[in-house]
Amino acid sequence: QVQLVESGGGLVQAGGSLRLSCAASGRAFSRNAMGWFRQAPGKEREFLATISWSSGSTKYADSVKGRFTISRDSAKNTVYLLMNSLKPEDTAVYYCAASSYGLFTITRAYEYWGQGTQVTVSS
């Protein structure tokens, strides 16, 4: 099993920044890659970014490329999502997830999910 705990969400003004953290524990081979997703009310869960634990390779959704940065600290088993230039449309619940498959952008490639953290961007 893999356990994921997100933190760092909150209320921020448009143009501001937040850094989300995701602490991972459990079977390391079950989390070859870590991803961040978000889900706004009434919308489907949306891929944002993913990173390989071993190589640090990354992929981003076009909607956040250049504004969001995913990173990992292997010593702390923690993945981060730095979000800059936040917009009201970034308001959502943000989830981290673990994949044993690799750098995929689809939700079904991720077997383990955190509980989510709310990010609210005010205009």
Side-chain angles (χ1 to χ4, degrees):
Q1 289 294 328
V2 174
Q3 293 78 41
L4 305 173
V5 179
E6 302 102 332
S7 60
L11 175 64
V12 63
Q13 287 190 330
S17 299
L18 277 177
R19 189 180 77 160
L20 305 182
S21 300
C22 175
S25 60
R27 296 176 358 177
F29 67 85
S30 295
R31 42 183 174 92
N32 289 335
M34 298 291 292
W36 284 99
F37 294 74
R38 68 185 178 191
Q39 189 165 19
K43 294 188 176 181
E44 293 188 353
R45 194 162 295 189
E46 174 191 12
F47 166 77
L48 300 175
T50 183
I51 187 167
S52 165
W53 274 115
S54 58
S55 69
S57 297
T58 59
K59 285 184 182 178
Y60 292 92
D62 289 341
S63 59
V64 302
K65 197 174 295 183
R67 294 194 301 129
F68 291 9
T69 302
I70 189 171
S71 61
R72 91 268 193 243
D73 184 332
S74 298
K76 295 183 179 180
N77 284 332
T78 300
V79 174
Y80 304 97
L81 185 69
L82 175 62
M83 306 184 293
N84 294 322
S85 302
L86 283 163
K87 307 172 184 179
E89 50 264 42
D90 293 318
T91 295
V93 178
Y94 284 68
Y95 298 91
C96 74
S99 172
S100 63
Y101 300 109
L103 297 179
F104 288 90
T105 64
I106 54 176
T107 57
R108 63 177 182 268
Y110 292 80
E111 300 103 318
Y112 302 97
W113 293 82
Q115 81 287 352
T117 186
Q118 176 71 46
V119 171
T120 302
V121 184
S122 62
S123 57

